[in-house]
Amino acid sequence: MIVMKFGGSSVGSAEAIKKTCSIVINNIEKQPYVVVSALSGITDLLISSAKTAKSGDMEALGKIKDTHKEVISALNLDPKIVDQELEELETTLKGIAYLHELTDRTMDTIMSFGERCSSKIIAAYLTAQGHKSSAFTGWDAGIITDSVHKNASYLADSYDRIAERMKNLDVLPVITGFIAHDADGEITTLGRGGSDLTASIIGVGIDADEIQIWTDVDGVMTCDPRICSNARTLPTMSFREASELAYFGAKILHPKTIQPAVKKNIPVVVKNTFNPEFDGTRVIESKVKGNTISGIALKRNVTVITIVSSRMLDAHGFISKIFKVFDDLKISVDMVATSEVSVSITLDGENGCRYDVIAELSKLGEVKCESDNAIICVVGDGIEDNPRLKGRIINAITSNDIIIKMISQGASSINVGLVVKGSDAEKAAKLLHDELIDSE
Ligand code: ADP
Ligand code: ASP
Ligand code: MG
């Protein structure tokens, strides 16, 4: 058995859906479990439909309906197959308009319609090609999460539930990525790009031989090809490397994708739907032989908070008080650097310079908060054995007059993270790619 996950661009048009389905059919003897994202651009449209519905504007709904109808018609499928979902979406949007209220819980319900529609379309097309197929939602398949709407964490109970519900099917399953239920049966989502994670959870649940992530590039590359034109595909990577790259912003994989796969040591293979012959990238427990550096990732919209306090000198428990503030507010911290009298911390952009964070931290010292920074992360299994590398990294950046605001070597010692101003981020990533990867 294998899991085959297809992202938004792989199901973005009737042509792409045909390609995707032919790839699935070519692998039919491997018993594929297909996981799909929403049609390209639909999740963004659903989010804006919910936001604009608050003021009674229903324009985005029209675009969502048209996109689905056009694809269904171009594939010659029953024109009504997603009518129920689209009607339910319309009713939910009208509810938002009526109440002038949009909660995170409702946003999850709204976002769920993208994958609920795409899975039905793809299952119908596979059936029309002679392979009896059914659409399953993430909750039908057994995925259960906590109740943190818009960024839920899957619960380990999911695995047994998936094994129970999804093994020995007599149809080809097409499972919605990204969406699940909490213990109360409310719809939750796994964070943007979460279909990759769904694939990995399903892979563990069914004990798959391989988890395949099909996308629009040739695999995991040494840098986002939209930033570094000379980026190249990595034939293999270790689980550790892929986790770090994904966590620090390589959009190719959802940050938590590797977590479940590691549990059962299932290879994660990243391949290109539009170049299926190419081997892509194989992410495995440990590589046979590798480069010192695998890749450079870039995470934008990073906020840096610095707390300065002379009370820190010789005082124990100061850092734990700082972390308690983030813990209480359920905010996760990425990078930390400390000096004798200060602690600097980075947060994801959407938290920004939040009033409640600043107010709590101000009780501990003088607080400075700066938004619009970026983390550039250099990742590679070889970093830990290469003491000179940090000097090269710092030199490549500072000799081009870019200021490094923070630097940290992760506990795993296979990454070095740098914080720079948002406007310097792309230049810094390219400089590091040229210095550390292109020149090797
Ligand atoms: P999908 O819709 O298939 O999930 P995504 O847009 O989420 O696709 O991810 C694929 C995109 O990730 C690529 O088009 C590429 O621009 C971007 N990307 C960022 N970092 C990397 C990287 N290191 N290697 C490959 N692609 C990357
Ligand atoms: N459709 C969701 C998103 O756009 C999930 C995914 O594509 O993986 O974020
Ligand atoms: Mg993605």
Side-chain angles (χ1 to χ4, degrees):
M1 287 179 291
I2 59 169
V3 176
M4 304 181 84
K5 176 261 167 176
F6 293 88
S9 48
S10 304
V11 296
S13 63
E15 274 323 297
I17 290 176
K18 286 181 186 170
K19 277 206 171 74
T20 286
C21 291
S22 73
I23 294 171
V24 172
I25 293 166
N26 284 340
N27 283 279
I28 207 82
E29 80 291 350
K30 294 185 186 156
Q31 278 196 58
Y33 281 66
V34 179
V35 173
V36 290
S37 291
L39 270 49
S40 171
I42 290 294
T43 308
D44 288 340
L45 270 176
L46 286 164
I47 293 170
S48 58
S49 75
K51 289 182 178 161
T52 51
K54 240 175 128 180
S55 54
D57 176 353
M58 292 284 168
E59 199 188 323
L61 174 66
K63 284 195 198 146
I64 293 166
K65 285 185 174 173
D66 290 348
T67 307
H68 286 97
K69 295 277 169 197
E70 276 163 27
V71 166
I72 290 167
S73 143
L75 293 172
N76 275 325
L77 299 172
D78 171 5
K80 293 192 184 323
I81 53 172
V82 296
D83 278 7
Q84 196 189 326
E85 283 72 19
L86 294 174
E87 271 162 34
E88 231 181 278
L89 168 63
E90 184 162 357
T91 310
T92 317
L93 290 173
K94 283 183 179 156
I96 295 173
Y98 185 72
L99 295 170
H100 297 292
E101 187 186 65
L102 174 60
T103 60
D104 285 351
R105 199 178 77 165
T106 309
M107 185 58 108
D108 271 352
T109 300
I110 297 280
M111 286 195 286
S112 75
F113 288 105
E115 275 72 8
R116 285 156 75 184
C117 290
S118 65
S119 57
K120 281 196 144 185
I121 295 172
I122 288 143
Y125 190 72
L126 285 165
T127 303
Q129 304 309 298
H131 297 273
K132 195 171 154 231
S133 177
S134 285
F136 292 79
T137 57
W139 54 89
D140 291 335
I143 302 180
I144 183 155
T145 69
D146 63 17
S147 305
V148 180
H149 287 286
K150 289 168 53 179
N151 195 15
S153 297
Y154 64 94
L155 305 181
D157 290 357
S158 304
Y159 301 133
D160 286 344
R161 294 158 54 103
I162 294 165
E164 209 172 282
R165 297 169 186 209
M166 299 303 284
K167 279 191 172 172
N168 308 316
L169 297 173
D170 59 358
V171 288
L172 168 56
V174 179
I175 304 159
T176 58
F178 182 51
I179 64 177
H181 267 176
D182 68 6
D184 297 327
E186 296 290 343
I187 296 176
T188 54
T189 57
L190 300 171
R192 293 302 306 270
S195 302
D196 301 328
L197 177 56
T198 301
S200 192
I201 300 169
I202 297 285
V204 172
I206 62 162
D207 221 349
D209 299 315
E210 195 167 283
I211 297 159
Q212 299 181 347
I213 307 290
W214 290 82
T215 183
D216 59 357
V217 285
D218 273 344
V220 183
M221 305 177 80
T222 49
C223 175
D224 186 341
R226 283 181 289 198
I227 297 171
C228 308
S229 53
N230 48 355
R232 56 175 193 263
T233 302
L234 293 155
T236 54
M237 293 184 89
S238 67
F239 283 142
R240 293 203 302 173
E241 289 174 322
S243 297
E244 298 282 344
L245 267 189
Y247 187 77
F248 283 101
K251 190 182 170 231
I252 184 88
L253 291 173
H254 179 280
K256 293 187 201 154
T257 311
I258 302 298
Q259 236 175 47
V262 170
K263 195 179 147 65
K264 279 202 182 159
N265 194 9
I266 305 176
V268 176
V269 182
V270 181
K271 285 184 64 92
N272 189 348
T273 303
F274 307 96
N275 186 17
E277 305 307 324
F278 191 78
D279 285 342
T281 303
R282 211 174 163 74
V283 185
I284 47 179
E285 191 172 19
S286 59
K287 298 183 300 196
V288 184
K289 157 180 156 305
N291 309 317
T292 310
I293 305 291
S294 281
I296 317 279
L298 192 166
K299 192 169 188 167
R300 294 175 213 271
N301 281 324
V302 169
T303 297
V304 178
I305 299 185
T306 303
I307 305 110
V308 183
S309 174
S310 52
R311 271 179 283 162
M312 201 177 148
L313 276 170
D314 291 331
H316 59 83
F318 185 76
I319 292 188
S320 83
K321 283 186 192 137
I322 292 178
F323 279 108
K324 187 164 183 315
V325 171
F326 293 106
D327 196 22
D328 290 347
L329 295 168
K330 296 204 165 29
I331 295 175
S332 72
V333 164
D334 283 336
M335 262 172 65
V336 182
T338 63
S339 77
E340 273 300 292
V341 289
S342 71
V343 180
S344 293
I345 274 166
T346 69
L347 310 178
D348 266 358
E350 71 178 51
N351 289 305
C353 293
R354 260 171 57 171
Y355 173 76
D356 50 355
V357 176
I358 309 296
E360 284 305 308
L361 291 175
S362 296
K363 294 177 188 162
L364 303 171
E366 193 186 316
V367 179
K368 193 168 116 195
C369 184
E370 298 169 295
S371 49
D372 196 22
N373 293 292
I375 297 179
I376 317 282
C377 191
V378 180
V379 174
D381 275 344
I383 290 182
E384 53 196 348
D385 306 322
N386 197 327
R388 292 209 189 142
L389 210 76
K390 254 201 239 166
R392 277 174 70 195
I393 293 174
I394 294 172
N395 194 32
I397 301 292
T398 50
S399 62
N400 281 279
D401 293 330
I402 295 176
I403 294 168
I404 300 177
K405 294 189 173 189
M406 267 171 86
I407 178 159
S408 107
Q409 176 152 4
S412 67
S413 59
I414 67 155
N415 86 55
V416 177
L418 307 169
V419 178
V420 298
K421 248 183 9 210
S423 52
D424 287 334
E426 289 208 2
K427 185 174 173 199
K430 279 189 210 153
L431 285 167
L432 287 174
H433 192 268
D434 289 348
E435 166 68 23
L436 303 170
I437 296 174
D438 213 34
S439 64
E440 297 286 302

